Amino acid sequence: MTGQIVDTDIDGLLTAALLHDHFGWPIMGFYDKATLWLDADIEPPLDLTSVVWVDAEMLWPGARVLSQHVPAQRRSDLRAVGTLRASVNPSVIAGHAQVGDYANKYPFGTFQWAWWVLNRDPASARLDNGRGVGTGLAWMPDGGFQSVNGRFRDNCIRWATQHMPGSLMSPLAHGDVSDVRASVREAEAWLQQHSGVRRGWVNHQWRMPIREHLDDAVDLSDANGFGQAGLILGAIKTFYAWSRELVLPPRYRAWRGTWMKSQLKGLSDGWLEGANAHRIVSGAAPNPRDYYWTAPGSPVKSGRALSDILPGPAYASRVAV
């Protein structure tokens, strides 16, 4: 791999910083399920064999993914959608789908999963004996601190201690998890103080606020959402005392898709074929009722469509998935 394209929330940033420290992979861009902001110096189409998509469920043929969401509506989808065979995803590996087994899915963020997959020592996460900023960051991504104190508590503890022995959450999951939210609050306060980014936080989660730029490259000389992401990444690096310098691209171009939602029993007929034949870019089920996916065409006439930068059928025929 030569680079990573990252989700725009705190889970994506934490995971990207970890992968950069471990492998040296730079950040090439950001993807929020509707828009891909790519380094303006990269000319299309993307070479998907050199890109890892972080915290985003890409279904485009040839994509390599490190994530944790539930991308399948039914278990049969895991076999039918070829890209999922190149996904490092606990929900995929465990065979979980939206229909039938959603309550037992992986309940945490991509950051905790990546730390465990990389076999990083939990002691280096500065868990502070179960309290403090390190513990808060271990439970923060994707609201694990809420799930462990709600109706998914038993599933959280199983994943933290049995399915992922030695995970970041394991020390606290073996003991009292009633005050884990206090640690998450402390971690949020620490990140705000050391990054200077105090906006964009909702329920101890941060998502990049990005203005729409559809035609020209975005210059990062001003303090926009990309600049804020860089400040938070710098604070993460400081906390963990990671040595690799992570520098974001100075300019981005936006490539738009159409974000869609289904509350029906399933997606439209033929969606499996669509995922294998360039009619679906990415997709995931955030809960047992809804499924979100992105079509490659741009909803804005003046915008560049995702289909203009993602390689087409001729490329996919050369890529084993």
Side-chain angles (χ1 to χ4, degrees):
M1 295 295 175
T2 60
Q4 47 182 324
I5 296 175
V6 183
D7 189 20
T8 57
D9 65 5
I10 189 63
D11 190 18
L13 296 186
L14 281 163
T15 311
L18 172 63
L19 293 174
H20 179 72
D21 177 70
H22 197 89
F23 294 112
W25 294 340
I27 292 177
M28 302 167 57
F30 295 92
Y31 177 58
D32 72 350
K33 287 47 165 206
T35 303
L36 167 62
W37 289 271
L38 190 68
D39 184 342
D41 291 333
I42 296 176
E43 295 298 327
L46 278 172
D47 178 4
L48 295 185
T49 63
S50 66
V51 177
V52 59
W53 300 81
V54 176
D55 197 33
E57 306 308 324
M58 298 299 291
L59 303 177
W60 199 263
R64 275 43 173 166
V65 180
L66 175 65
S67 57
Q68 46 75 27
H69 308 92
V70 175
Q73 284 199 304
R74 294 170 177 81
R75 287 187 178 181
S76 58
D77 301 347
L78 298 170
R79 297 185 299 273
V81 181
T83 306
L84 295 178
R85 294 195 289 275
S87 175
V88 182
N89 178 323
S91 294
V92 170
I93 293 170
H96 294 306
Q98 183 183 31
V99 178
D101 195 31
Y102 196 85
N104 294 315
K105 76 176 185 70
Y106 174 80
F108 305 116
T110 304
F111 176 64
Q112 300 99 319
W113 168 242
W115 197 293
W116 188 76
V117 167
L118 295 174
N119 198 29
R120 299 279 286 229
D121 184 356
S124 66
R126 299 181 58 191
L127 298 176
D128 303 323
N129 298 318
R131 296 179 182 273
V133 176
T135 293
L137 292 177
W139 286 87
M140 175 185 285
D142 277 27
F145 63 95
Q146 292 178 294
S147 297
V148 78
N149 281 308
R151 60 192 180 97
F152 299 112
R153 177 189 180 94
D154 290 343
N155 187 49
C156 287
I157 293 176
R158 278 195 302 273
W159 274 94
T161 60
Q162 298 176 28
H163 300 326
M164 297 167 58
S167 72
L168 289 180
M169 301 78 62
S170 183
L172 187 59
H174 279 299
D176 181 12
V177 296
S178 61
D179 63 349
V180 69
R181 185 185 289 267
S183 295
V184 172
R185 283 198 298 266
E186 186 175 343
E188 179 188 347
W190 192 95
L191 286 176
Q192 288 189 14
Q193 177 185 354
H194 288 80
S195 68
V197 178
R198 301 186 181 278
R199 295 185 178 182
W201 294 91
V202 177
N203 193 24
H204 314 304
Q205 306 286 289
W206 186 83
R207 180 168 289 280
M208 187 190 305
I210 304 178
R211 301 188 300 271
E212 294 299 337
H213 298 273
L214 297 178
D215 295 315
D216 299 324
V218 180
D219 187 341
L220 294 190
S221 59
D222 61 345
N224 54 32
F226 299 101
Q228 293 171 29
L231 294 171
I232 292 177
L233 284 165
I236 293 168
K237 173 180 173 291
T238 297
F239 178 78
Y240 291 113
W242 290 333
S243 59
R244 291 185 191 267
E245 196 63 36
L246 202 167
V247 179
L248 294 181
R251 297 179 307 126
Y252 298 82
R253 286 192 174 89
W255 308 80
R256 292 289 300 274
T258 302
W259 201 48
M260 307 177 76
K261 173 182 176 181
S262 173
Q263 289 184 317
L264 305 175
K265 292 182 179 179
L267 297 176
S268 60
D269 291 342
W271 90 271
L272 292 173
E273 290 77 7
N276 283 318
H278 306 85
R279 290 191 296 273
I280 297 178
V281 177
S282 56
N287 57 60
R289 299 173 304 280
D290 304 324
Y291 194 94
Y292 295 88
W293 74 99
T294 304
S298 172
V300 181
K301 291 182 179 179
S302 61
R304 301 177 184 86
L306 278 174
S307 54
D308 294 334
I309 195 169
L310 295 169
Y315 172 89
S317 65
R318 302 194 306 268
V319 178
V321 294

